[in-house]
């Protein structure tokens, strides 16, 4: 058995490769950014060929750094920016258009027309998603509508579609394997999450030929081998999952009721709901967590657009600090936010309020308010937003979650973690390794080749760094939450 597992983490701005040993220790890693294209206001594109070349080159670099060869790698797992859409020519392997990135809003008008025609409930029941330009479906349609002759060529079987993991697998297997894993398929708005297949009715509605779509497969299994010219010899590709689902897996949230929150630029909360999809009345998304060993786990997903980005704003625009981690001591020194509430609605408010045009606000300022109070109120606001998602999940589920695992850059902030625990009355578990996304891909790949014999084998790897337990009275919690909700309502009231 080879010694290591390779994870490719293909993100929105950079491609990373991490090589892990069995214990989940990082043996080697490399990372490189690739170009972002903004051809029009609200449009975001990537060059899929550049993504592929960048991803392969960082993998080669990670091997080289530690003098490793393909023989040292038992298997390769991929995790990726979700929803981003690639359409390519099957014969030449050339994309027919830039990849349309998840952030791209070019199809929002079309998404609105689908809503206006009353398709929302049908799409929600089948795919678990709300109708939005974010998902791949309307992006594929856009390419077929706008690239000369594309739809005819797709109908003739000359074009293929894939999200990024699907594209990378196809390229790395020399065009032999055209698959997508369930967790990525579930983000296309074309995938029936109950039947685990492409939905004919939605395909017809969007006029997308089925023959261009990849075969949906479980997240762990034998997908194929990399062509020998990439790494000197073949490496089996045996794992794939979208970034948030991979993070849920990497955090070992294997059982129903387990949840994780990633505190990055934005925050992403995912709750494993077991083998049954749970539908949300609060506008949360229902998605596939993973398919594994003939079973599918579903998840409820909620996200806040702004999380660490609010701290970045305090740092870069307000110049309240030099480095984001300084926010912790500033908040502690402030002693209290003294009735100041920050609503970080820089790009509207998402679940459960859905006010896309709302703007941010700071309330409760007095002559005594200083930077410390504003920093503290901002950190608190990140926790309040997550609490709103947690309580929406609790409503959908009929019970509250009891523990939350955390990762992402801002989870290093102990003040924020303790406040999250207090305001959500929930235990917060932070592990030593907060690299859960690439770790999740490595675990999925490792399970397929018996590098790990079971999920229990993986759980043993988890080393807890710190557990935060609630230490706030319920009166205080109620009082603070009620102030937050009033602040959010006031911010919404100010929306044009
Ligand atoms: P992403 O992967 O979305 O780029 P990261 O997981 O690297 O983000 O997290 C970085 C974000 O977290 C930045 O917005 C940064 O301002 C914030 N951040 C990092 N460390 C801290 C900290 N100790 N306290 C508060 N915010 C932090």
């Amino acid at each position: 058995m080879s010694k290591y597992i390779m994870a490719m983490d293909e993100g929105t701005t950079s491609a990373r490769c991490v090589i892990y040993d069995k214990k989940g220790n990082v043996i080697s890693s490399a990372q490189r950014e690739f170009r972002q294209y903004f051809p029009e206001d609200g449009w975001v594109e990537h060059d899929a060929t550049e993504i592929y070349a960048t991803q392969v080159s960082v993998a080669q670099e990670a091997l080289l750094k530690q003098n490793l060869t393909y023989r040292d790698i038992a298997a390769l797992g991929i995790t990726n920016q979700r929803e981003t859409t690639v359409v390519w020519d099957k014969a030449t392997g050339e994309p027919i258009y830039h990849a349309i990135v998840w952030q791209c809003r070019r199809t929002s008008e079309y998404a609105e027309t689908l809503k206006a025609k009353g398709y929302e409930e049908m799409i929600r029941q089948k795919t678990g998603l709300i109708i939005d330009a974010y998902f791949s479906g309307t992006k594929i349609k856009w390419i077929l509508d706008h690239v000369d002759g594309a739809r005819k060529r797709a109908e003739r079987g000359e074009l293929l579609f894939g999200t990024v993991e699907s594209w990378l697998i196809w390229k790395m297997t020399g065009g032999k394997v055209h698959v997508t894993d369930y967790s990525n398929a579930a983000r296309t708005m074309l995938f029936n999450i109950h039947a685990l297949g492409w939905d004919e009715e939605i395909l017809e509605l969007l006029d997308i030929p089925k023959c261009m779509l990849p075969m949906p497969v479980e997240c762990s299994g034998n997908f194929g081998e990399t062509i020998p010219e990439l790494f000197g010899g073949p490496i089996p590709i045996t794992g794939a999952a979208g970034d948030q689902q991979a993070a849920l897996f990497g955090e070992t949230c294997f059982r129903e009721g387990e949840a994780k929150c990633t505190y990055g630029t934005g925050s992403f909360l995912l709750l494993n709901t077991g083998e049954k999809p749970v539908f949300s009345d609060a506008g949360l998304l229902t998605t596939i967590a993973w398919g594994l060993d003939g079973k599918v786990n579903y998840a409820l997903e909620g996200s806040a657009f702004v999380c660490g980005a609010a701290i970045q704003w305090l740092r870069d625009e307000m110049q309240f600090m030099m480095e984001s981690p300084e926010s912790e001591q500033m908040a502690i020194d402030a002693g209290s936010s003294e009735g100041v509430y920050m609503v970080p609605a820089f790009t509207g408010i998402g679940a459960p309020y859905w006010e896309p045009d709302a703007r941010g606000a700071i309330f409760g300022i007095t002559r005594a308010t200083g930077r410390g109070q504003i920093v503290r109120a901002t950190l608190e606001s990140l926790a309040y937003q997550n609490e709103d998602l947690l309580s929406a999940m609790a409503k959908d589920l009929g019970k509250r979650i009891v523990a939350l695992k955390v990762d992402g850059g801002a989870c290093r902030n102990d003040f924020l973690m303790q406040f999250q625990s207090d305001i959500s009355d929930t235990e917060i578990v932070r592990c030593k390794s907060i690299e859960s996304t690439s770790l999740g891909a490595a675990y999925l790949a490792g399970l397929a080749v018996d590098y790990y014999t079971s999920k229990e084998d993986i759980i043993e790897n988890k080393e807890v760094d710190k557990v935060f337990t609630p230490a706030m009275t319920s009166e205080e919690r109620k009082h603070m939450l009620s102030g937050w909700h009033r602040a959010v309502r006031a911010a919404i009231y100010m929306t044009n």
Side-chain angles (χ1 to χ4, degrees):
M1 171 67 79
S2 311
K3 293 185 293 243
Y4 306 122
I5 297 279
M6 177 186 274
M8 291 184 171
D9 181 354
E10 197 297 305
T12 306
T13 55
S14 71
R16 255 158 56 82
C17 174
V18 189
I19 296 172
Y20 289 104
D21 70 6
K22 195 165 180 206
K23 288 268 159 226
N25 298 309
V26 175
I27 298 304
S28 184
S29 72
Q31 177 164 10
R32 197 161 303 140
E33 291 192 0
F34 50 80
R35 205 165 147 194
Q36 311 285 314
Y37 296 84
F38 306 104
E40 286 187 34
D41 193 26
W43 292 27
V44 191
E45 298 179 355
H46 293 155
D47 174 350
T49 303
E50 185 190 354
I51 288 185
Y52 169 65
T54 310
Q55 188 63 73
V56 168
S57 76
V58 291
Q60 290 166 339
E61 189 183 328
L63 287 170
L64 203 66
K65 270 186 182 170
Q66 295 299 328
N67 282 325
L68 302 174
T69 75
Y70 73 94
R71 286 197 193 86
D72 298 306
I73 305 298
L76 159 62
I78 302 173
T79 179
N80 57 296
Q81 52 165 325
R82 305 177 299 174
E83 297 103 10
T84 296
T85 297
V86 190
V87 176
W88 67 93
D89 182 317
K90 191 176 171 177
T92 65
E94 291 295 321
I96 64 160
Y97 191 81
H98 271 171
I100 303 185
V101 179
W102 58 273
Q103 298 152 321
C104 186
R105 302 304 302 168
R106 81 184 65 194
T107 54
S108 5
E109 235 170 79
Y110 175 69
E112 287 308 316
T113 66
L114 287 178
K115 281 189 206 163
K117 286 184 187 155
Y119 290 113
E120 220 157 359
E121 198 44 36
M122 181 273 281
I123 300 264
R124 192 173 87 114
Q125 278 180 11
K126 289 181 166 192
T127 68
L129 306 176
I130 53 168
I131 294 177
D132 198 276
Y134 180 39
F135 307 109
S136 321
T138 63
K139 300 183 196 289
I140 306 176
K141 178 178 164 53
W142 190 95
I143 294 178
L144 296 181
D145 287 344
H146 290 83
V147 177
D148 241 7
R151 187 168 277 101
K152 282 269 168 310
R153 296 189 57 207
E155 279 161 3
R156 288 201 297 267
E158 293 169 19
L159 300 182
L160 299 177
F161 152 78
T163 37
V164 172
E165 89 302 347
S166 174
W167 161 246
L168 290 177
I169 293 171
W170 191 86
K171 288 293 275 185
M172 287 196 293
T173 57
K176 277 209 196 99
V177 180
H178 188 216
V179 294
T180 183
D181 78 279
Y182 291 161
S183 74
N184 273 296
R187 315 297 295 189
T188 58
M189 216 179 82
L190 307 173
F191 191 68
N192 188 313
I193 59 171
H194 314 278
L196 304 177
W198 303 115
D199 192 89
E200 305 277 354
E201 187 183 357
I202 304 175
L203 291 181
E204 198 167 311
L205 179 65
L206 270 64
D207 200 6
I208 296 174
K210 193 175 178 183
C211 60
M212 74 186 299
L213 304 181
M215 183 171 75
V217 294
E218 290 193 347
C219 299
S220 180
N222 190 6
F223 305 153
E225 288 182 336
T226 61
I227 44 176
E229 19 320 8
L230 300 181
F231 307 115
I235 297 177
I237 310 172
T238 60
D243 52 11
Q244 296 308 322
Q245 289 97 328
L248 189 68
F249 202 81
E251 287 279 11
T252 66
C253 293
F254 298 145
R255 284 173 312 198
E256 182 178 341
E258 293 184 321
K260 72 92 194 172
C261 184
T262 301
Y263 294 76
T265 304
S267 82
F268 280 92
L269 232 159
L270 265 77
L271 166 70
N272 183 339
T273 62
E275 290 176 48
K276 283 217 175 68
V278 172
F279 288 89
S280 174
D281 290 326
L284 303 177
L285 304 176
T286 305
T287 199
I288 292 180
W290 49 76
L292 186 66
D293 296 334
K295 286 185 192 148
V296 164
N297 269 75
Y298 292 89
L300 262 181
E301 172 172 328
S303 57
F305 306 132
V306 171
C307 179
I311 304 303
Q312 238 166 26
W313 177 78
L314 291 179
R315 185 191 67 197
D316 301 342
E317 304 303 324
M318 298 297 106
Q319 304 190 346
F320 281 8
M321 61 196 96
M322 298 293 287
E323 305 285 346
S324 301
E326 290 168 35
S327 58
E328 181 173 343
Q329 197 53 46
M330 289 176 82
I332 294 167
D333 292 345
S336 152
S337 47
E338 287 166 14
V340 175
Y341 286 93
M342 157 73 143
V343 183
F346 299 159
T347 52
I349 306 183
Y353 305 100
W354 298 110
E355 289 288 344
D357 299 321
R359 302 178 74 151
I362 302 175
F363 296 99
I365 302 170
T366 69
R367 183 67 185 78
T369 303
R371 292 174 198 199
Q373 282 72 34
I374 293 181
V375 168
R376 186 167 172 130
T378 304
L379 285 169
E380 289 174 351
S381 76
L382 311 182
Y384 286 131
Q385 292 187 116
N386 289 330
E387 166 51 23
D388 283 341
L389 295 173
L390 284 169
S391 74
M393 284 181 180
K395 266 192 212 132
D396 293 329
L397 212 64
K399 59 179 181 226
R400 279 196 70 95
I401 64 146
V402 291
L404 183 65
K405 293 179 181 167
V406 295
D407 54 51
C411 91
R412 284 276 171 242
N413 189 311
D414 283 9
F415 169 81
L416 173 58
M417 293 303 106
Q418 184 58 49
F419 189 74
Q420 186 76 72
S421 173
D422 289 344
I423 212 68
S424 298
D425 199 17
T426 297
E427 188 173 273
I428 305 280
V429 182
R430 183 174 68 203
C431 285
K432 286 216 168 109
S433 164
I434 56 169
E435 290 267 354
S436 41
T437 310
S438 54
L439 208 46
Y443 289 155
L444 285 164
L447 280 169
V449 293
D450 283 338
Y451 187 81
Y452 296 108
T453 50
S454 67
K455 286 190 230 146
E456 284 65 39
D457 218 10
I458 293 171
I459 289 174
E460 277 180 21
N461 271 357
K462 276 273 151 200
E463 268 188 82
V464 172
D465 170 47
K466 197 159 176 180
V467 178
F468 300 85
T469 49
M472 190 181 263
T473 64
S474 68
E475 286 79 57
E476 199 179 348
R477 181 178 306 120
K478 268 192 204 134
H479 175 74
M480 294 192 79
L481 274 172
S482 121
W484 161 253
H485 290 136
R486 272 180 286 135
V488 172
R489 279 202 302 274
I492 292 173
Y493 179 75
M494 285 296 291
T495 308
N496 291 323

